[in-house]
Amino acid sequence: MKPKEPDSRYVFATYPICRACGSANIKATRGAKDVGEGVRERPSKCHDCGQLLTVVLEPSKDYA
Ligand SMILES: [Zn+2]
């Protein structure tokens, strides 16, 4: 049976890139925290250059 809305299965997200070296090899470090309005901050570190980063996760605006 064919689903009525096949596109509803696809959820698009971007992945974080290191601001210092452009690497996508980023690992979360300590615990994430909610900063309100569905936004989450995740302390992270670039595995390639060691840059400390804060990855900010925002809710997708696709679902309205
Ligand atoms: Zn880096």
Side-chain angles (χ1 to χ4, degrees):
M1 191 170 78
K2 253 186 169 178
K4 283 177 184 170
E5 295 178 58
D7 285 347
S8 65
R9 289 183 300 135
Y10 293 91
V11 179
F12 293 91
T14 57
Y15 60 85
I17 297 286
C18 175
R19 299 295 290 258
C21 76
S23 170
N25 192 11
I26 290 169
K27 306 293 179 201
T29 54
R30 286 164 284 113
K33 65 176 177 180
D34 291 317
V35 293
E37 297 183 3
V39 178
R40 204 161 167 75
E41 287 187 358
R42 195 169 61 191
S44 303
K45 187 178 182 181
C46 175
H47 239 235
D48 286 340
C49 77
Q51 175 71 44
L52 291 174
L53 303 158
T54 298
V55 176
V56 181
L57 301 169
E58 296 178 312
S60 172
K61 295 174 176 59
D62 287 348
Y63 183 77

